Structure formats: structure tokens, C-alpha cells
Amino acid sequence: QRFQRIIHQDKGPASADLKGDPLSFAYYHMGRWAWGSPGWSIPEMPADTSKSAPKPDPKDPLKEERNTLRWIRQNRPDAVIQWTEITHPDFPGRKVEVGGFRPFVLMNPPDSLLDSVLIRQARFVEELAHMLPSVAIREVKVERVGAQVFRVTAQVANSGYLPTVSQLGVRVRWPQRVRLELKTSGQQIAGGRAIQLLDPIPGNGGSREFTWLVVGTADSKLTLTASSPVAGTATQSITLR
């Protein structure tokens, strides 16, 4: 829906058979978020409703080619080469013709459309980048529970739209999970783990809460860091008070 809203394209070409292509490998084997677009395709032309037009056949195997030909004749008439009979040395005495669409005309937009196509594609890629997972540390609390004992509580949140690891990524165990580390400076951790790897954190503000018991002097400082190769790094300095 976001792609269609930005690109202004309701229908595109059929996808190629996804077997062994880089995007499928990145997603299914490496568990990475993967996206691809042909960038541009010949738009669908309105049907010919004139009385002389033949009735369209829904099973016409040349439907896409006919649509392409109508668009090219209206927008790039020089991109179609009329079928012309030639003499070919490999086929002596036989009728041989050459013609059709010029090379690459089906994949590349006309020069006049390049700027607008690139601007829309770049705008979508930018929005897609903002949808990626992004870790953050929130709701940090310190409670004194003894003479030199403090309870530290914090939330590790995901401010992005996508989760920190896809479900497929969990299965293939390739993507690295968010690494959470509470680094001490002279204190001791009496409860909770100093370093732990987190299960996927949902997007749209999803979070997980963690608690530690720390033995140390008042006003001493700890450092809490959440890091991920795909979701960034967040660091928070915590004072025991």
C-alpha cells in the first residue's frame, strides 16, 4: 500500500520465478529483510472501447504485448521497428523478417520520465529505511533496596515499524539478536545477567523490561547498552541514587 501510494502504480509486471535470486536468498537463507522493484514498467493502457475494436479475449496470451505496443505507439513510436523481410545466409530460399521492440525499451523509461521515476523510487526507499527496526532504552528506574543495594529497571524498545528479527530469521539463526549489556565500574551485579541476547522485539514501540540488582556505592555510574547490526545502538548512563 505504501509503495502504491508513493509510486502511483496500481499494477506491475508479474514477478519472475523466485528461485536462487539474491532477494530470496537474503530473506529465506539469511533471514534479512529484502525488497526489490523493477523501478519502472510499461503502464496498463485503457481498453479500446471503439465499435471497430475487437472484443478483448481474457485468455489472450499476447495481452501484455498488445498493451505494450499501444503504449509505445503513443509515447515512443520510434521504439518499434516494423517487420522487414531480409535475406539471411542461414536460411537460403526462405522468408525471414526482423522487427519488433527495440532492445531494452521494455525495461527503461523514456528520458522524459527518468527524473520523476527516480524521485518516487528514492522517496519509497527513504520511507522503507524509516521502517527498519531501531532500538532505544526507555523508562530507566533506580530504587534503593538496601544500604548499598539498588534495583535497576529499564525497557529496551523498538521504535521502528519492523521487528528486530523476522520470524524466519529466528528459524535460520543467522541474524544477530539485540545484545544487551549492563557494564559496571566497580559495582557488582547480584541479580540479573550482565550480558544477554534478546528475542525479537516487535515494531511500533514494542518493548521488553529487564531488572538487575546492583551492589555499589551511591552516585556511582553504570552503562546500559543495547546494540544490533540491523537495529542500531542505544546507550544510557545510569547513576545509583
Side-chain angles (χ1 to χ4, degrees):
Q1 290 175 348
R2 294 182 188 217
F3 180 83
Q4 291 174 343
R5 172 172 52 82
I6 294 174
I7 304 299
H8 305 302
Q9 179 178 319
D10 294 330
K11 185 179 179 182
S15 175
D17 193 14
L18 301 179
K19 291 183 179 179
D21 63 287
L23 290 176
S24 296
F25 180 80
Y27 180 65
Y28 290 105
H29 292 268
M30 300 179 67
R32 303 291 185 178
W33 301 112
W35 171 83
S37 166
W40 177 84
S41 61
I42 299 223
E44 190 169 6
M45 298 291 289
D48 187 354
T49 56
S50 62
K51 293 183 178 179
S52 58
K55 186 177 180 180
D57 181 3
K59 297 182 179 180
D60 182 5
L62 299 178
K63 181 180 179 180
E64 295 296 330
E65 285 82 353
R66 297 186 203 282
N67 179 78
T68 299
L69 185 60
R70 290 202 306 272
W71 185 88
I72 286 180
R73 281 176 172 168
Q74 289 189 22
N75 297 274
R76 301 185 66 180
D78 62 324
V80 177
I81 301 173
Q82 296 300 320
W83 291 99
T84 305
E85 187 171 345
I86 65 168
T87 301
H88 198 291
D90 291 345
F91 304 99
R94 299 174 64 181
K95 183 178 181 180
V96 178
E97 293 182 333
V98 295
F101 303 128
R102 289 185 182 274
F104 308 115
V105 71
L106 305 183
M107 295 185 293
N108 297 326
D111 295 345
S112 59
L113 296 180
L114 273 176
D115 286 346
S116 60
V117 168
L118 291 174
I119 287 173
R120 287 196 296 268
Q121 289 285 336
R123 193 174 297 158
F124 176 74
V125 171
E126 182 180 6
E127 179 159 333
L128 195 63
H130 288 299
M131 294 169 62
L132 293 174
S134 179
V135 294
I137 297 175
R138 300 174 180 169
E139 304 293 336
V140 177
K141 295 188 296 183
V142 178
E143 303 171 89
R144 189 168 192 156
V145 295
Q148 288 188 325
V149 182
F150 299 84
R151 180 183 292 113
V152 177
T153 305
Q155 290 183 0
V156 179
N158 177 10
S159 58
Y161 177 81
L162 297 169
T164 53
V165 178
S166 69
Q167 286 298 316
L168 200 58
V170 174
R171 292 178 57 187
V172 300
R173 300 180 182 179
W174 193 313
Q176 297 182 27
R177 294 179 286 170
V178 175
R179 181 180 188 270
L180 183 64
E181 178 180 7
L182 182 64
K183 191 173 184 179
T184 59
S185 55
Q187 307 91 346
Q188 290 183 338
I189 298 177
R193 288 183 292 169
I195 298 176
Q196 49 194 309
L197 298 177
L198 311 186
D199 291 332
I201 303 174
N204 283 335
S207 64
R208 297 184 61 196
E209 187 171 274
F210 300 88
T211 301
W212 300 265
L213 282 178
V214 180
V215 179
T217 58
D219 294 327
S220 62
K221 294 183 182 297
L222 306 163
T223 302
L224 182 62
T225 301
S227 60
S228 163
V230 297
T233 300
T235 301
Q236 179 78 42
S237 178
I238 302 172
T239 302
L240 300 180
R241 62 179 58 169

